[in-house]
Amino acid sequence: MIAIFDSGYGGLTVMKPIINLLPQYDYIYLGDNARSPYGNHSPETIKKFAEEAVEYLFSKGAELIIFACNTASSTALRHVQHKYLKGKDEKDRKILGVLIPVAQQAVKITKNGKIGVVGTKATINSNVYETEIHKLNSKISIYQKACPLLVPFIEEGWHTKPEAKSVLKKYLRSLKDCHIDTLILGCTHYPLMIKDFKRIMGNKVKVLPSGEITAESLKAYLGRHPEIENKLSKNKKREFFTTDDPQKFQDFAEKNLGMKIKIPQKIIINNVNNE
Ligand code: DGL
């Protein structure tokens, strides 16, 4: 089965296009809502949260885990890949992130070589997007902006209010001044405000959310790796797990993403090692 992991609700913006494109597989989703947002935590704390999530998802039988969360991808992906995929199970399990496919797409579409990146403090401080983009083309200029207030607005369902739009406008001002032509939404939550991003940046700027790009890249990956694809169960099962309020999770999915989902199961993941 394929597992999708996020710090909270945001990963649903990645899961939705993945399921649309690849409906045949079984999926589980884990949202660590009780400890979200991850973006203001230290890299050490995020690595610990990510380890606990990976252990939980492997214990549920996942063969392939997707770190939908940009914060976890940028800060902890290499760490968990190293920790959990180096043993005898290496060939049977995979953990993938969302950053590289999005960086590749941005490099492909920029015309003026000026790319903007928005994300949480942890994602921007990790500099991972800049590193990945420069591996592909060192001449591209990268302009980054952390937008830490957006996730709390979105988690509260306040992102449609004028206060959220005015904060977003302030965050984007410096990126507008740099005349970028491509903007990476380096956070799973931001697609919920994509119309505002597009309106503020204007129609000359291409705004890239990670969901669709990740879905296409996953499809291509499974095509290249039949040894993984063959192992994935294909009964169209969808299960949801959250570390916080299941009803709130279900309501959020329906209201903000139009996803009718089974009520999630509430779980505790911070003591898997002690059980
Ligand atoms: N899911 C996170 C991300 O994509 C945003 C929320 C958080 O800070 O935990 O970066």
Side-chain angles (χ1 to χ4, degrees), residues 6-7 36-40 68-71 120 123 151 186-189:
D6 189 64
S7 57
S36 170
Y38 280 9
N40 295 330
C69 182
N70 280 253
T71 302
T120 63
T123 299
V151 170
C187 173
T188 52
H189 287 60

Side-chain angles (χ1 to χ4, degrees), residues 193-254:
M193 293 186 77
I194 194 162
K195 282 196 185 130
D196 299 302
F197 275 99
K198 287 184 174 167
R199 183 177 42 75
I200 295 167
M201 292 311 293
N203 56 14
K204 292 203 181 93
V205 178
K206 287 251 173 347
V207 177
L208 297 185
S210 51
E212 282 78 9
I213 299 168
T214 304
E216 288 293 347
S217 144
L218 177 62
K219 187 177 176 188
Y221 176 87
L222 294 174
R224 289 195 308 274
H225 293 279
E227 76 286 1
I228 306 274
E229 203 281 336
N230 289 337
K231 283 203 193 84
L232 299 173
S233 47
K234 301 173 183 77
N235 303 305
K236 298 191 175 183
K237 257 178 39 188
R238 281 93 174 93
E239 270 190 289
F240 295 83
F241 298 90
T242 175
T243 53
D244 204 357
D245 183 349
Q247 190 57 59
K248 211 173 148 200
F249 189 103
Q250 192 186 39
D251 293 346
F252 188 97
E254 172 141 20

Side-chain angles (χ1 to χ4, degrees), residues 11-28:
L12 294 170
T13 66
V14 177
M15 184 183 204
K16 192 176 172 181
I18 289 181
I19 289 184
N20 283 345
L21 191 68
L22 302 165
Q24 65 273 36
Y25 300 108
D26 291 350
Y27 291 92
I28 53 173

Side-chain angles (χ1 to χ4, degrees), residues 30 32 34-35 38 48-57 59 84 242-243 266-275:
L30 170 59
D32 191 7
R35 301 189 291 192
Y38 280 9
K48 183 173 162 286
F49 292 169
E51 282 181 14
E52 290 164 353
V54 165
E55 287 178 22
Y56 183 78
L57 292 167
S59 80
Y84 296 101
T242 175
T243 53
K266 183 171 175 180
I267 54 152
I268 295 171
I269 54 169
N270 60 357
N271 60 358
V272 268
N273 285 331
N274 306 327
E275 276 171 358

